C-alpha cells in the first residue's frame, strides 16, 4: 500500500487562507455616499518601540528601504478661529466658520463672505486646481435632518460664489454632512461654533 504524502505546515496554512478568502464577502463602496468626507484622513498613534531591541539592528547583508516622504500637515488658524487652513503634501483645505459667512440658521451669504471666498479662489488658482470639494457641517443642536439640509444649502451657496471666481473649467463635489465629523467638542458653545463650518479643499499643484 502506497503511503499518502504528508502535507507540510505551509501547504495547510495556504489551504486555510484560501478557504477564508472565499468565505469573506467583498466590501461594497458607494461613491456618492462616502463614510468620511473625501480628502479627510485619520491616523493612529505610532507603536511603542524598544530602543534596545536587537531587531532594530540590520542583519548582515541587509539594506535600508528606499527613502519615503511623509505626509506632513501644517495647520494655521486665525486668532478668532474664524478661518483655518490645513496644508499637506497633497491637499489644501480651508475651513470657514458659518458665523463669518451666514446669518444664524441661514444659507444666505453675508456681504463680508465675498472677500473670504475670493481669497480661497485665488489660492485654488495658484494651485491650478481643477477639482474642488465644498462640504458643509453643523453642530449637534436641532434635528439631524435640519442640519443636513442647512449644511448642504450653505455648501451650495459657497460653491455658487466660488464658481463666479474660478470659471467653468473646475469640477466640484458639494455635500452637506449635518453634525457628522465634528472637529471640536459639541459640549461647549466654543466647540459648536467651530463645528458650524464650510470646508473648501483641493489638491496641491504639482
Amino acid at each position: 500500500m502506497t503511503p499518502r504524502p504528508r502535507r507540510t505546515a505551509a501547504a495547510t496554512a495556504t489551504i486555510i487562507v484560501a478557504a477564508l478568502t472565499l468565505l469573506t464577502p467583498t466590501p461594497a463602496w458607494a461613491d456618492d455616499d462616502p463614510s468620511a468626507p473625501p480628502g479627510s484622513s485619520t491616523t493612529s498613534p505610532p507603536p511603542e518601540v524598544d530602543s534596545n531591541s536587537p531587531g532594530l539592528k540590520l542583519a548582515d547583508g541587509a539594506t535600508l528601504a528606499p527613502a519615503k516622504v511623509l505626509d506632513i500637515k501644517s495647520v494655521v488658524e486665525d486668532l478668532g478661529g474664524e478661518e483655518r487652513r490645513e496644508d499637506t503634501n497633497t491637499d489644501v483645505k480651508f475651513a470657514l466658520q458659518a458665523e463669518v459667512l451666514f446669518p444664524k440658521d441661514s444659507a444666505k451669504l453675508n456681504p463680508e463672505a465675498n472677500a473670504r471666498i475670493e481669497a480661497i479662489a485665488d489660492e485654488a488658482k495658484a494651485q491650478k486646481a481643477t477639482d474642488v470639494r465644498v462640504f458643509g457641517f453643523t453642530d449637534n443642536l436641532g434635528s439631524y435632518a435640519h442640519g443636513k439640509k442647512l449644511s448642504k444649502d450653505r455648501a451650495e451657496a459657497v460653491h455658487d460664489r466660488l464658481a463666479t471666481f474660478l470659471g467653468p473649467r473646475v469640477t466640484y463635489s458639494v455635500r452637506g454632512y449635518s453634525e457628522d465629523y465634528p472637529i471640536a467638542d459639541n459640549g461647549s458653545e466654543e466647540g459648536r461654533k467651530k463645528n458650524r463650518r464650510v470646508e473648501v479643499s483641493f489638491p496641491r499643484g504639482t
Side-chain angles (χ1 to χ4, degrees), residues 22-192:
L22 291 174
L23 294 174
T24 303
T26 303
W29 300 97
D31 292 335
D32 58 343
D33 187 20
S35 59
S40 66
S41 61
T42 56
T43 58
S44 301
E48 293 185 6
V49 177
D50 180 5
S51 59
N52 296 317
S53 172
L56 293 178
K57 299 178 181 178
L58 289 176
D60 292 340
T63 58
L64 291 173
K68 181 180 179 181
V69 178
L70 299 178
D71 190 11
I72 300 174
K73 179 186 288 187
S74 168
V75 179
V76 179
E77 187 174 274
D78 63 15
L79 291 177
E82 296 176 345
E83 184 171 328
R84 173 187 176 98
R85 173 175 175 156
E86 295 182 9
D87 286 88
T88 68
N89 296 347
T90 57
D91 292 282
V92 179
K93 180 194 294 183
F94 292 89
L96 296 173
Q97 288 185 9
E99 275 78 357
V100 303
L101 297 175
F102 306 97
K104 184 177 180 180
D105 203 31
S106 170
K108 183 178 180 181
L109 289 168
N110 287 327
E112 67 180 277
N114 198 64
R116 291 180 179 268
I117 296 173
E118 185 175 12
I120 294 175
D122 289 341
E123 181 63 24
K125 290 177 183 176
Q127 300 294 340
K128 298 180 173 57
T130 56
D131 295 286
V132 176
R133 300 175 290 267
V134 187
F135 299 150
F137 304 85
T138 63
D139 57 27
N140 65 347
L141 300 181
S143 71
Y144 183 87
H146 176 72
K148 189 85 169 177
K149 183 179 187 308
L150 180 61
S151 60
K152 177 65 181 300
D153 289 347
R154 286 177 166 176
E156 289 283 5
V158 173
H159 155 261
D160 292 346
R161 189 60 55 86
L162 269 175
T164 64
F165 297 120
L166 294 179
R169 296 184 179 181
V170 177
T171 301
Y172 296 89
S173 297
V174 183
R175 295 191 180 98
Y177 286 99
S178 189
E179 65 193 58
D180 295 334
Y181 314 110
I183 59 174
D185 184 7
N186 272 313
S188 68
E189 176 55 25
E190 181 181 355
R192 290 191 294 271

